Amino acid sequence: MKFFIDTANLDDIREAESLGILDGVTTNPSLMAKESISGDDNVREHYKKICEITDGDVSAEVISTDLEGMKREAGELVKIADNIVVKIPMIREGVKALAWCRDNGIRTNCTLVFSAGQAILAAKAGATYVSPFIGRIDDIGWEGMSLISDIAEIYAIQGFETEILAASIRNGKHIVEAAKAGADVVTCPLSSFDSLFKHPLTDIGLEKFLADHKKALSVVS
């Protein structure tokens, strides 16, 4: 399973890259705004900086909601770097844009997916990735992780090549569950990756090892 970091913060991306486990980056207008990045030129320059940090796929989102606008933006975004993947929303015009991108050799990430039916449409239209939003489904009282399982089952039966990118991941438990459910990729903040490191028995064990080592040294001296 691939690990993508969901952020526009360059320091967090560098830190994730330094771990040696980073496979890509996802971001969106909200995350750009969080970093005070605004204006088309500044946003594209920021994408360029991200692409200079990692060789992995970097999802860059279109803002337009009409087909011609999405086609124009997709054509501009892929000029930034070879590892740009164009993020397109799951709407009627978005599905048309996915198909256009497929026919023109542009890789895509279909975002804001909340049902298996939407995931089928994205795969049929040739999306490279499909992004079900797990946490947001949980927020409305449904089981988000079951959607990953449903999509994985459908894609396996039908032979779809679209990769399942589990998005809106909130914690380490979500990452583990997404892996079990068949996600090809998870994307989450650095804090969610950090939570995978933590276990009280690891801390206790390390503390004991270090204490025993110190004791052994004192005996020798």
Side-chain angles (χ1 to χ4, degrees):
M1 185 175 71
K2 299 175 187 175
F3 278 9
F4 287 5
I5 187 169
D6 191 37
T7 187
N9 184 282
L10 298 181
D11 289 337
D12 282 357
I13 296 169
R14 291 189 187 98
E15 177 60 23
E17 180 70 20
S18 74
L19 291 172
I21 61 171
L22 186 67
D23 297 297
V25 178
T26 58
T27 188
N28 57 48
S30 297
L31 292 172
M32 285 286 186
K34 187 176 179 180
E35 300 302 317
S36 301
I37 308 297
S38 61
D40 289 346
D41 290 342
N42 290 332
V43 167
R44 286 177 187 143
E45 182 61 27
H46 202 73
Y47 280 131
K48 184 178 179 181
K49 291 177 182 177
I50 293 172
C51 291
E52 290 170 352
I53 297 172
T54 179
D55 294 329
D57 287 347
V58 176
S59 287
E61 189 160 349
V62 300
I63 304 302
S64 300
T65 56
D66 63 289
L67 176 59
E68 292 306 315
M70 284 187 273
K71 286 164 59 175
R72 182 183 65 256
E73 287 188 57
E76 293 169 351
L77 289 170
V78 293
K79 293 176 183 177
I80 296 172
D82 292 340
N83 53 331
I84 286 287
V85 175
V86 179
K87 190 187 282 191
I88 293 175
M90 170 41 69
I91 56 177
R92 182 179 292 271
E93 293 294 283
V95 171
K96 295 177 185 178
L98 290 171
W100 180 86
C101 287
R102 173 200 64 204
D103 295 342
N104 286 274
I106 296 174
R107 295 181 304 139
T108 54
N109 175 1
C110 184
T111 189
L112 293 173
V113 169
F114 294 96
S115 74
Q118 290 177 327
I120 292 172
L121 287 173
K124 286 290 292 179
T128 310
Y129 299 101
V130 61
S131 292
F133 277 48
I134 305 309
R136 295 194 193 182
I137 294 174
D138 288 349
D139 289 345
I140 62 170
W142 292 85
E143 178 55 55
M145 209 55 65
S146 65
L147 177 58
I148 299 293
S149 299
D150 289 345
I151 296 172
E153 180 180 2
I154 291 167
Y155 280 13
I157 292 171
Q158 298 300 327
F160 289 135
E161 296 181 358
T162 299
E163 293 188 50
I164 303 168
L165 194 164
S168 190
I169 295 287
R170 304 282 174 78
N171 50 55
K173 185 172 183 287
H174 266 170
I175 295 174
V176 173
E177 289 176 346
K180 290 171 62 178
D184 299 292
V185 190
V186 292
T187 187
C188 56
L190 183 61
S191 59
S192 295
F193 290 137
D194 285 344
S195 69
L196 293 177
F197 286 102
K198 299 173 184 176
H199 196 286
L201 293 180
T202 300
D203 297 336
I204 293 169
L206 181 59
E207 184 178 355
K208 185 177 188 306
F209 292 157
L210 294 176
D212 288 345
H213 177 66
K214 184 177 181 180
K215 186 186 300 182
L217 287 178
S218 65
V219 170
V220 170
S221 60

